[in-house]
Amino acid sequence: MRKNIKLTAGIAATAAVALGLTACGTSSDPSSAKDAAGAADKPLVVAASPTPHADILNFVKDNLAEKAGLKLEVKEFTDYVLPNTATQSGQVDANFFQHKPYLDDFNEKNKTTIVPVVNVHLEPLGLYSKGLASVKDIKAGQTIAVPNDTTNEGRALHLLADNGLITLKPGVGTDAKLSDIADKKGLEFKELEAATVPRALNDVDAAVINGNYAIEADLQPAKDALVLEAAEGNPYANFLAVKEGNEKDARVQKLAELLNSPEVKKYIEDTYKGSVIPAFGAAE
C-alpha cells in the first residue's frame, strides 16, 4: 500500500516558523554533523504536487527505490508555495513540482536558496473551453482566465499571443503581465490562482490551465485543449529540487538517477499519453 501524506494549509505556520529558525542557524550547530552522518539511512522526504509529480514519485517508490537502496517518502502539497518553504526549512528534503522560471522568481521574492537537480518532465500549458470548439471561435468581448503568478501568467500570455489572440509589446519576456499586452483584441481577462483556474471554466469563455491542474480536473491536455504549448525548446521542464548545498546528498543523487530512468520514461508515456512529456537531463 502506498503511504502518501497530504498536507493542508494548516502547516503554513509551521513552515514559516521553521524557515525563520533555519535562517538564524549556523553551521557550527553540533547536531548538524550528526544529522549528516545518519542521513544516508533516513527516508528521503519529497514534497510534490499530487498529479503527475506524486504519481511519478510513487511509481519510483513502488517499483524502483527498494532495489536502488533508497527509502522514499512522498508528501503531497496542493499549492505552489509550501513545497519550497518546507524544503528551505528542512521540513522536507526535496521537492518536485516546479519549473525554472517559477523557481527563479520564488527565490528572488522570498530570499530562499532552492536549486534544481534534474529535469524530469514537461506539462504543456493549454487553453481550454467548455463552450468553444476551436481557438478561432474566441471573439472580442469574451473572457479568458489566466494564472495570476508571475511566471505562469507570462507563459499563458505568450501562448495566447503565439495563437493570434493577443499582441504583446515588443521584447516582452517570460514574466509578461496584462499591462504588457499591446492589443487585447477586445478580450477580457480574469486573473486567478493557478489551482483554481479549472473551476472557473464554467464562468469564463476559455481558460489557460497548467498541465497538472488540467489532469487533476479530469481534462486530457493532448485531447481537450484548444491549443497546447510546443514541447521543443520549452524552458518549463519540471525538476527535482533541493536547498542549495544538498545537491550531492547520496539519496538525492539516487532519486535523480531513477527519475531519469527508462522505466520512468515508459511510465510517463504510457500513463499520460502526451499530456505529460519526458524531459530528462541536467537542470540549469
Side-chain angles (χ1 to χ4, degrees):
M1 179 179 292
R2 298 191 315 196
K3 183 180 179 183
N4 287 346
I5 302 175
K6 292 196 176 184
L7 278 73
T8 66
I11 69 166
T14 301
V17 170
L19 181 59
L21 292 175
T22 301
C24 296
T26 68
S27 59
S28 63
D29 183 347
S31 67
S32 298
K34 181 179 178 181
D35 290 345
D41 297 324
K42 294 180 180 178
L44 182 71
V45 184
V46 184
S49 298
T51 302
H53 308 80
D55 294 337
I56 294 170
L57 288 171
N58 279 312
F59 172 80
V60 171
K61 178 181 177 181
D62 294 344
N63 297 278
L64 306 174
E66 183 176 359
K67 184 177 180 180
L70 175 66
K71 298 176 183 177
L72 183 61
E73 182 177 337
V74 183
K75 293 190 175 183
E76 295 185 10
F77 290 74
T78 57
D79 81 315
Y80 283 171
V81 176
L82 291 177
N84 276 335
T85 57
T87 302
Q88 183 74 26
S89 72
Q91 185 181 0
V92 299
D93 300 303
N95 67 56
F96 176 33
F97 77 101
Q98 64 191 323
H99 50 63
K100 190 62 162 53
Y102 178 84
L103 176 61
D104 288 344
D105 182 69
F106 188 95
N107 277 338
E108 181 179 354
K109 289 180 177 177
N110 296 278
K111 309 304 178 186
T112 45
T113 56
I114 310 298
V115 295
V117 177
V118 65
N119 287 332
V120 180
H121 72 267
L122 172 70
E123 302 164 20
L125 200 72
L127 178 67
Y128 300 82
S129 176
K130 289 285 189 178
L132 304 176
S134 167
V135 68
K136 295 179 181 179
D137 296 330
I138 298 176
K139 307 297 182 184
Q142 294 181 324
T143 300
I144 299 177
V146 295
N148 66 0
D149 62 276
T150 304
T151 54
N152 284 307
E153 181 168 78
R155 189 179 174 187
L157 295 179
H158 278 282
L159 176 67
L160 298 178
D162 289 344
N163 286 277
L165 293 173
I166 61 172
T167 301
L168 292 172
K169 296 175 182 177
V172 172
T174 58
D175 59 348
K177 47 191 179 295
L178 294 184
S179 60
D180 292 317
I181 300 176
D183 184 359
K184 293 185 177 180
K185 300 188 178 181
L187 296 174
E188 300 294 330
F189 295 93
K190 188 172 185 178
E191 297 173 293
L192 299 169
E193 199 277 323
T196 70
V197 176
R199 297 198 293 272
L201 267 178
N202 290 325
D203 303 318
V204 295
D205 297 290
V208 180
I209 304 175
N210 292 70
N212 60 315
Y213 292 132
I215 294 169
E216 288 174 22
D218 294 325
L219 294 167
Q220 299 179 45
K223 176 182 177 182
D224 296 330
L226 303 183
V227 290
L228 280 175
E229 284 179 317
E232 186 174 351
N234 194 306
Y236 297 104
N238 283 210
F239 47 68
L240 180 69
V242 298
K243 183 179 179 181
E244 187 174 17
N246 294 334
E247 302 95 315
K248 300 303 182 183
D249 184 315
R251 301 168 302 162
V252 171
Q253 291 297 308
K254 281 184 181 179
L255 179 57
E257 183 178 350
L258 294 176
L259 285 171
N260 272 196
S261 66
E263 293 88 347
V264 168
K265 181 176 186 292
K266 185 176 187 304
Y267 172 79
I268 292 173
E269 291 174 340
D270 290 349
T271 302
Y272 301 109
K273 303 184 186 304
S275 296
V276 177
I277 303 168
F280 293 172
E284 299 178 357

mmCIF file of all heavy atoms in Angstrom, residues 7-16 19 47-48 76-89 91-92 94-95 97 102 106 114:
data_model
loop_
_atom_site.group_PDB
_atom_site.id
_atom_site.type_symbol
_atom_site.label_atom_id
_atom_site.label_comp_id
_atom_site.label_asym_id
_atom_site.label_seq_id
_atom_site.Cartn_x
_atom_site.Cartn_y
_atom_site.Cartn_z
ATOM 1 N N LEU A 7 -0.704 17.226 2.934
ATOM 2 C CA LEU A 7 -0.548 18.352 3.829
ATOM 3 C C LEU A 7 -1.519 19.433 3.442
ATOM 4 O O LEU A 7 -1.739 19.687 2.266
ATOM 5 C CB LEU A 7 0.884 18.905 3.780
ATOM 6 C CG LEU A 7 1.885 18.143 4.658
ATOM 7 C CD1 LEU A 7 2.197 16.800 4.035
ATOM 8 C CD2 LEU A 7 3.136 18.938 4.850
ATOM 9 N N THR A 8 -2.108 20.087 4.409
ATOM 10 C CA THR A 8 -3.034 21.180 4.161
ATOM 11 C C THR A 8 -2.368 22.497 4.473
ATOM 12 O O THR A 8 -1.232 22.554 4.939
ATOM 13 C CB THR A 8 -4.278 21.034 5.053
ATOM 14 O OG1 THR A 8 -3.884 21.200 6.404
ATOM 15 C CG2 THR A 8 -4.916 19.669 4.860
ATOM 16 N N ALA A 9 -3.125 23.565 4.255
ATOM 17 C CA ALA A 9 -2.592 24.903 4.512
ATOM 18 C C ALA A 9 -2.287 25.094 5.980
ATOM 19 O O ALA A 9 -1.600 26.041 6.358
ATOM 20 C CB ALA A 9 -3.588 25.961 4.050
ATOM 21 N N GLY A 10 -2.754 24.184 6.833
ATOM 22 C CA GLY A 10 -2.510 24.332 8.259
ATOM 23 C C GLY A 10 -1.048 24.222 8.625
ATOM 24 O O GLY A 10 -0.643 24.617 9.723
ATOM 25 N N ILE A 11 -0.213 23.662 7.732
ATOM 26 C CA ILE A 11 1.203 23.574 8.061
ATOM 27 C C ILE A 11 1.943 24.859 7.707
ATOM 28 O O ILE A 11 3.134 24.963 7.922
ATOM 29 C CB ILE A 11 1.881 22.399 7.343
ATOM 30 C CG1 ILE A 11 1.964 22.678 5.837
ATOM 31 C CG2 ILE A 11 1.207 21.099 7.637
ATOM 32 C CD1 ILE A 11 2.890 21.761 5.129
ATOM 33 N N ALA A 12 1.240 25.814 7.119
ATOM 34 C CA ALA A 12 1.911 27.038 6.672
ATOM 35 C C ALA A 12 2.632 27.727 7.821
ATOM 36 O O ALA A 12 3.767 28.185 7.683
ATOM 37 C CB ALA A 12 0.901 27.994 6.053
ATOM 38 N N ALA A 13 1.964 27.813 8.967
ATOM 39 C CA ALA A 13 2.592 28.488 10.099
ATOM 40 C C ALA A 13 3.831 27.738 10.545
ATOM 41 O O ALA A 13 4.876 28.321 10.850
ATOM 42 C CB ALA A 13 1.605 28.600 11.258
ATOM 43 N N THR A 14 3.750 26.396 10.574
ATOM 44 C CA THR A 14 4.900 25.591 10.975
ATOM 45 C C THR A 14 6.058 25.804 10.028
ATOM 46 O O THR A 14 7.211 25.965 10.436
ATOM 47 C CB THR A 14 4.513 24.106 10.982
ATOM 48 O OG1 THR A 14 3.430 23.931 11.888
ATOM 49 C CG2 THR A 14 5.688 23.237 11.421
ATOM 50 N N ALA A 15 5.747 25.806 8.726
ATOM 51 C CA ALA A 15 6.799 26.007 7.739
ATOM 52 C C ALA A 15 7.428 27.368 7.893
ATOM 53 O O ALA A 15 8.642 27.527 7.776
ATOM 54 C CB ALA A 15 6.226 25.844 6.322
ATOM 55 N N ALA A 16 6.602 28.385 8.137
ATOM 56 C CA ALA A 16 7.129 29.745 8.274
ATOM 57 C C ALA A 16 8.036 29.866 9.478
ATOM 58 O O ALA A 16 9.104 30.483 9.425
ATOM 59 C CB ALA A 16 5.971 30.736 8.390
ATOM 60 N N LEU A 19 11.243 28.063 8.782
ATOM 61 C CA LEU A 19 12.052 28.828 7.850
ATOM 62 C C LEU A 19 12.824 29.908 8.575
ATOM 63 O O LEU A 19 14.006 30.130 8.340
ATOM 64 C CB LEU A 19 11.159 29.445 6.772
ATOM 65 C CG LEU A 19 11.825 30.264 5.675
ATOM 66 C CD1 LEU A 19 12.838 29.407 4.927
ATOM 67 C CD2 LEU A 19 10.793 30.822 4.730
ATOM 68 N N ALA A 47 8.488 16.691 -1.241
ATOM 69 C CA ALA A 47 7.212 17.387 -1.405
ATOM 70 C C ALA A 47 6.860 17.417 -2.889
ATOM 71 O O ALA A 47 7.726 17.676 -3.728
ATOM 72 C CB ALA A 47 7.317 18.808 -0.866
ATOM 73 N N ALA A 48 5.586 17.176 -3.196
ATOM 74 C CA ALA A 48 5.199 17.118 -4.606
ATOM 75 C C ALA A 48 3.745 17.499 -4.798
ATOM 76 O O ALA A 48 2.910 17.268 -3.919
ATOM 77 C CB ALA A 48 5.429 15.714 -5.157
ATOM 78 N N GLU A 76 2.305 15.161 -0.272
ATOM 79 C CA GLU A 76 1.586 15.899 -1.299
ATOM 80 C C GLU A 76 1.173 17.282 -0.809
ATOM 81 O O GLU A 76 0.637 17.426 0.291
ATOM 82 C CB GLU A 76 0.348 15.119 -1.737
ATOM 83 C CG GLU A 76 0.687 13.798 -2.415
ATOM 84 C CD GLU A 76 -0.529 13.083 -2.955
ATOM 85 O OE1 GLU A 76 -1.620 13.703 -2.979
ATOM 86 O OE2 GLU A 76 -0.392 11.919 -3.364
ATOM 87 N N PHE A 77 1.426 18.279 -1.647
ATOM 88 C CA PHE A 77 1.029 19.662 -1.411
ATOM 89 C C PHE A 77 0.136 20.101 -2.564
ATOM 90 O O PHE A 77 0.346 19.696 -3.707
ATOM 91 C CB PHE A 77 2.240 20.592 -1.353
ATOM 92 C CG PHE A 77 3.112 20.420 -0.140
ATOM 93 C CD1 PHE A 77 3.954 19.320 -0.006
ATOM 94 C CD2 PHE A 77 3.107 21.367 0.870
ATOM 95 C CE1 PHE A 77 4.764 19.178 1.094
ATOM 96 C CE2 PHE A 77 3.919 21.232 1.985
ATOM 97 C CZ PHE A 77 4.752 20.130 2.107
ATOM 98 N N THR A 78 -0.821 20.941 -2.278
ATOM 99 C CA THR A 78 -1.741 21.377 -3.333
ATOM 100 C C THR A 78 -1.547 22.839 -3.714
ATOM 101 O O THR A 78 -2.398 23.418 -4.385
ATOM 102 C CB THR A 78 -3.200 21.158 -2.897
ATOM 103 O OG1 THR A 78 -3.439 21.858 -1.675
ATOM 104 C CG2 THR A 78 -3.483 19.673 -2.692
ATOM 105 N N ASP A 79 -0.444 23.451 -3.303
ATOM 106 C CA ASP A 79 -0.167 24.832 -3.702
ATOM 107 C C ASP A 79 1.266 24.930 -4.194
ATOM 108 O O ASP A 79 2.017 23.949 -4.187
ATOM 109 C CB ASP A 79 -0.434 25.802 -2.547
ATOM 110 C CG ASP A 79 0.721 25.847 -1.565
ATOM 111 O OD1 ASP A 79 1.231 24.757 -1.211
ATOM 112 O OD2 ASP A 79 1.129 26.945 -1.163
ATOM 113 N N TYR A 80 1.660 26.127 -4.642
ATOM 114 C CA TYR A 80 2.981 26.338 -5.225
ATOM 115 C C TYR A 80 3.942 27.080 -4.281
ATOM 116 O O TYR A 80 5.011 27.506 -4.724
ATOM 117 C CB TYR A 80 2.845 27.159 -6.516
ATOM 118 C CG TYR A 80 2.348 26.392 -7.716
ATOM 119 C CD1 TYR A 80 2.017 27.073 -8.883
ATOM 120 C CD2 TYR A 80 2.215 25.004 -7.712
ATOM 121 C CE1 TYR A 80 1.566 26.402 -10.010
ATOM 122 C CE2 TYR A 80 1.772 24.328 -8.823
ATOM 123 C CZ TYR A 80 1.449 25.019 -9.979
ATOM 124 O OH TYR A 80 1.010 24.356 -11.094
ATOM 125 N N VAL A 81 3.580 27.238 -3.012
ATOM 126 C CA VAL A 81 4.420 27.977 -2.074
ATOM 127 C C VAL A 81 5.033 27.053 -1.029
ATOM 128 O O VAL A 81 6.254 27.032 -0.825
ATOM 129 C CB VAL A 81 3.626 29.106 -1.386
ATOM 130 C CG1 VAL A 81 4.480 29.805 -0.327
ATOM 131 C CG2 VAL A 81 3.142 30.123 -2.420
ATOM 132 N N LEU A 82 4.197 26.283 -0.347
ATOM 133 C CA LEU A 82 4.665 25.459 0.762
ATOM 134 C C LEU A 82 5.753 24.452 0.395
ATOM 135 O O LEU A 82 6.640 24.195 1.215
ATOM 136 C CB LEU A 82 3.483 24.746 1.415
ATOM 137 C CG LEU A 82 2.503 25.657 2.169
ATOM 138 C CD1 LEU A 82 1.335 24.846 2.701
ATOM 139 C CD2 LEU A 82 3.193 26.393 3.307
ATOM 140 N N PRO A 83 5.746 23.854 -0.801
ATOM 141 C CA PRO A 83 6.836 22.925 -1.098
ATOM 142 C C PRO A 83 8.222 23.566 -1.011
ATOM 143 O O PRO A 83 9.173 22.939 -0.553
ATOM 144 C CB PRO A 83 6.524 22.472 -2.529
ATOM 145 C CG PRO A 83 5.054 22.593 -2.637
ATOM 146 C CD PRO A 83 4.716 23.843 -1.865
ATOM 147 N N ASN A 84 8.335 24.811 -1.451
ATOM 148 C CA ASN A 84 9.630 25.488 -1.378
ATOM 149 C C ASN A 84 9.974 25.936 0.043
ATOM 150 O O ASN A 84 11.121 25.814 0.481
ATOM 151 C CB ASN A 84 9.655 26.688 -2.329
ATOM 152 C CG ASN A 84 10.017 26.284 -3.749
ATOM 153 O OD1 ASN A 84 10.679 25.275 -3.973
ATOM 154 N ND2 ASN A 84 9.589 27.075 -4.714
ATOM 155 N N THR A 85 8.996 26.477 0.778
ATOM 156 C CA THR A 85 9.306 26.899 2.145
ATOM 157 C C THR A 85 9.632 25.687 3.018
ATOM 158 O O THR A 85 10.511 25.760 3.883
ATOM 159 C CB THR A 85 8.144 27.702 2.761
ATOM 160 O OG1 THR A 85 6.942 26.934 2.743
ATOM 161 C CG2 THR A 85 7.921 29.009 2.009
ATOM 162 N N ALA A 86 8.952 24.578 2.784
ATOM 163 C CA ALA A 86 9.236 23.364 3.551
ATOM 164 C C ALA A 86 10.610 22.808 3.207
ATOM 165 O O ALA A 86 11.317 22.280 4.074
ATOM 166 C CB ALA A 86 8.155 22.318 3.290
ATOM 167 N N THR A 87 11.028 22.925 1.954
ATOM 168 C CA THR A 87 12.366 22.479 1.552
ATOM 169 C C THR A 87 13.434 23.386 2.153
ATOM 170 O O THR A 87 14.463 22.922 2.651
ATOM 171 C CB THR A 87 12.488 22.463 0.014
ATOM 172 O OG1 THR A 87 11.482 21.599 -0.530
ATOM 173 C CG2 THR A 87 13.848 21.961 -0.419
ATOM 174 N N GLN A 88 13.190 24.679 2.117
ATOM 175 C CA GLN A 88 14.145 25.626 2.682
ATOM 176 C C GLN A 88 14.322 25.400 4.188
ATOM 177 O O GLN A 88 15.429 25.481 4.717
ATOM 178 C CB GLN A 88 13.671 27.061 2.429
ATOM 179 C CG GLN A 88 14.637 28.145 2.913
ATOM 180 C CD GLN A 88 15.865 28.281 2.025
ATOM 181 O OE1 GLN A 88 15.831 27.948 0.840
ATOM 182 N NE2 GLN A 88 16.960 28.755 2.583
ATOM 183 N N SER A 89 13.240 25.112 4.881
ATOM 184 C CA SER A 89 13.283 24.965 6.341
ATOM 185 C C SER A 89 13.830 23.616 6.778
ATOM 186 O O SER A 89 14.202 23.440 7.934
ATOM 187 C CB SER A 89 11.877 25.124 6.925
ATOM 188 O OG SER A 89 11.066 23.998 6.614
ATOM 189 N N GLN A 91 11.938 20.889 6.538
ATOM 190 C CA GLN A 91 10.781 20.060 6.864
ATOM 191 C C GLN A 91 10.671 18.887 5.887
ATOM 192 O O GLN A 91 10.187 17.811 6.237
ATOM 193 C CB GLN A 91 9.509 20.897 6.825
ATOM 194 C CG GLN A 91 8.252 20.157 7.266
ATOM 195 C CD GLN A 91 7.014 21.022 7.180
ATOM 196 O OE1 GLN A 91 7.106 22.186 6.783
ATOM 197 N NE2 GLN A 91 5.876 20.481 7.545
ATOM 198 N N VAL A 92 11.104 19.118 4.642
ATOM 199 C CA VAL A 92 11.251 18.049 3.656
ATOM 200 C C VAL A 92 12.653 18.174 3.061
ATOM 201 O O VAL A 92 13.311 19.210 3.196
ATOM 202 C CB VAL A 92 10.189 18.131 2.541
ATOM 203 C CG1 VAL A 92 8.786 18.007 3.128
ATOM 204 C CG2 VAL A 92 10.322 19.416 1.737
ATOM 205 N N ALA A 94 13.460 17.551 -0.276
ATOM 206 C CA ALA A 94 13.473 17.945 -1.685
ATOM 207 C C ALA A 94 12.043 18.228 -2.121
ATOM 208 O O ALA A 94 11.092 17.965 -1.375
ATOM 209 C CB ALA A 94 14.079 16.824 -2.540
ATOM 210 N N ASN A 95 11.904 18.766 -3.324
ATOM 211 C CA ASN A 95 10.562 18.926 -3.880
ATOM 212 C C ASN A 95 10.564 18.664 -5.378
ATOM 213 O O ASN A 95 11.611 18.704 -6.035
ATOM 214 C CB ASN A 95 9.939 20.287 -3.525
ATOM 215 C CG ASN A 95 10.635 21.470 -4.160
ATOM 216 O OD1 ASN A 95 10.783 21.556 -5.386
ATOM 217 N ND2 ASN A 95 11.066 22.410 -3.336
ATOM 218 N N PHE A 97 7.833 19.851 -8.325
ATOM 219 C CA PHE A 97 6.553 20.445 -8.709
ATOM 220 C C PHE A 97 6.693 21.621 -9.654
ATOM 221 O O PHE A 97 5.708 22.066 -10.225
ATOM 222 C CB PHE A 97 5.778 20.930 -7.472
ATOM 223 C CG PHE A 97 6.284 22.229 -6.881
ATOM 224 C CD1 PHE A 97 5.621 23.426 -7.139
ATOM 225 C CD2 PHE A 97 7.419 22.265 -6.104
ATOM 226 C CE1 PHE A 97 6.084 24.635 -6.617
ATOM 227 C CE2 PHE A 97 7.887 23.448 -5.574
ATOM 228 C CZ PHE A 97 7.223 24.638 -5.828
ATOM 229 N N TYR A 102 9.671 29.763 -12.609
ATOM 230 C CA TYR A 102 8.943 29.925 -11.338
ATOM 231 C C TYR A 102 9.920 29.923 -10.164
ATOM 232 O O TYR A 102 9.807 30.756 -9.253
ATOM 233 C CB TYR A 102 7.904 28.819 -11.153
ATOM 234 C CG TYR A 102 7.184 28.946 -9.824
ATOM 235 C CD1 TYR A 102 6.090 29.798 -9.689
ATOM 236 C CD2 TYR A 102 7.623 28.260 -8.698
ATOM 237 C CE1 TYR A 102 5.446 29.959 -8.468
ATOM 238 C CE2 TYR A 102 6.989 28.413 -7.472
ATOM 239 C CZ TYR A 102 5.900 29.256 -7.363
ATOM 240 O OH TYR A 102 5.284 29.424 -6.150
ATOM 241 N N PHE A 106 10.554 32.805 -7.392
ATOM 242 C CA PHE A 106 10.284 32.499 -5.986
ATOM 243 C C PHE A 106 11.505 32.794 -5.118
ATOM 244 O O PHE A 106 11.393 33.423 -4.054
ATOM 245 C CB PHE A 106 9.880 31.038 -5.836
ATOM 246 C CG PHE A 106 9.400 30.682 -4.456
ATOM 247 C CD1 PHE A 106 8.043 30.690 -4.162
ATOM 248 C CD2 PHE A 106 10.288 30.350 -3.438
ATOM 249 C CE1 PHE A 106 7.582 30.377 -2.887
ATOM 250 C CE2 PHE A 106 9.846 30.040 -2.159
ATOM 251 C CZ PHE A 106 8.484 30.060 -1.885
ATOM 252 N N ILE A 114 16.703 27.593 -3.085
ATOM 253 C CA ILE A 114 16.360 26.309 -3.688
ATOM 254 C C ILE A 114 17.036 26.209 -5.060
ATOM 255 O O ILE A 114 17.066 27.181 -5.816
ATOM 256 C CB ILE A 114 14.835 26.162 -3.854
ATOM 257 C CG1 ILE A 114 14.105 26.490 -2.547
ATOM 258 C CG2 ILE A 114 14.484 24.759 -4.335
ATOM 259 C CD1 ILE A 114 14.429 25.605 -1.390
#
